[in-house]
Amino acid sequence: MSHQSTAYRPRHVVVLAHPEPGGFNGLVADAYCEAVRACGQEAIVRDLYTMGFNPALKASERPGKSGFALSQDVIAEVDTIRSSDVFVAVYPIWFGMPPAMMVGYIQRVLGAGVTARQVQDRNADTIMRGKRLVVISTSGNSKAWLTHEHQIQSLRSIMGEYLVHAFGFKNFDDLHFGETVEGLDQLFVDQLLADVDRRARSICAAVSADRPSGAAD
C-alpha cells in the first residue's frame, strides 16, 4: 500500500474578545480568517463572548499551589491552540486596557501551568513557544490621541513585548485601528479591512517561509 504525504497547512487561531455580534472587531476577525484561507492556510476562531468563556482565574489553576489542576475549559482551549503556528488576538481598547475577557484568556490559557519564576527566567515550556503573536486592536479614540496619552506604547509593551518574553513567542506583529465608532462610513470600513487582508497575507507568507519546503506535519 502506498502512502502519500499530506501537505502541512499552517494554523492560525484567532481569539476574538468583543461582546457585540457583527461589530467591527468581528469583521476584522472574519477578514483575517478569509485572507488566511485564501492563502491555503487554516484559521480557527475562538469568539470568547459567544463561547461564554469564564475569564476568572481559579485558585486551583495557579501552579505551585496545593491541589493545582487545570479546569476542563482551559484544557480544551490548550488542546485547540497547541498545534497552531500563529496566535491572533482581536480586541477593543476600553479605558486604556484590553477587555477582561481577553486578559482572563491570557492568564488562564496561555499562562496555564506557568510560574512567575519561569517568566522571569524566560525558560517556561509553554504551548506558545516558537509561535507567532499577532495583536489587532481597535479604539473609539484616534491613534494620535492614544499615542499622546502613551497608551499605544504601553499596550504594545504589555500585550506584545511582555507576552513574547513570558511565553516564548517567536515574534510579535501588531495593527491598531482608531476611531472605530458606530456609523462608520462603509468605504472607511473597507479600507481598514483591506489593511487586515494585506497584513494577514504577509504573515501567511512569513509562516510559510518558516517551514522548510516539503516538511511533514
Side-chain angles (χ1 to χ4, degrees):
M1 180 182 296
S2 62
H3 296 276
Q4 294 182 343
S5 61
T6 302
Y8 178 78
R9 295 180 65 206
R11 174 180 294 179
H12 302 239
V13 173
V14 180
V15 179
L16 171 64
H18 197 288
E20 182 182 346
F24 180 71
N25 282 259
L27 294 177
V28 167
D30 289 344
Y32 184 95
C33 291
E34 289 173 7
V36 166
R37 291 165 185 150
C39 291
Q41 300 184 13
E42 184 178 356
I44 299 173
V45 177
R46 309 302 290 163
D47 186 337
L48 301 186
Y49 281 91
T50 298
M51 292 163 50
F53 179 78
N54 181 2
L57 179 70
K58 300 177 181 178
S60 60
E61 294 173 343
R62 299 184 64 196
K65 302 292 183 179
S66 176
F68 167 73
L70 297 180
S71 301
Q72 287 302 311
D73 61 335
V74 172
I75 293 173
E77 290 305 304
V78 168
D79 288 343
T80 297
I81 66 179
R82 186 187 304 278
S83 61
S84 65
D85 298 272
V86 184
F87 180 87
V88 186
V90 180
Y91 62 85
I93 296 174
W94 289 336
F95 302 104
M97 295 174 285
M101 191 71 87
M102 180 61 74
V103 174
Y105 192 91
I106 291 170
Q107 293 173 344
R108 296 189 67 212
V109 180
L110 272 61
V114 179
T115 67
R117 172 58 63 180
Q118 289 174 323
V119 169
Q120 181 174 315
D121 295 342
R122 300 186 183 182
N123 64 359
D125 184 20
T126 76
I127 57 173
M128 295 289 98
R129 184 161 297 282
K131 304 182 190 304
R132 290 176 175 270
L133 170 63
V134 179
V135 174
I136 306 177
S137 59
T138 65
S139 64
N141 291 315
S142 69
K143 187 173 182 178
W145 184 85
L146 289 172
T147 299
H148 180 267
E149 296 297 315
H150 308 294
Q151 287 298 304
I152 294 294
Q153 184 54 45
S154 294
L155 284 170
R156 198 172 196 279
S157 295
I158 296 171
M159 293 296 292
E161 296 163 4
Y162 178 83
L163 295 186
V164 167
H165 296 156
F167 301 129
F169 281 102
K170 177 185 179 71
N171 57 17
F172 164 56
D173 199 346
D174 67 331
L175 191 61
H176 178 78
F177 298 117
E179 300 179 287
T180 54
V181 296
E182 291 186 15
L184 289 175
D185 179 77
Q186 188 59 49
L187 179 59
F188 181 55
V189 171
D190 292 343
Q191 290 173 341
L192 299 185
L193 296 181
D195 288 342
V196 174
D197 181 272
R198 283 190 291 270
R199 184 64 63 90
R201 290 174 184 273
S202 174
I203 292 168
C204 285
V207 172
S208 295
D210 286 342
R211 197 171 186 87
S213 178
D217 187 3

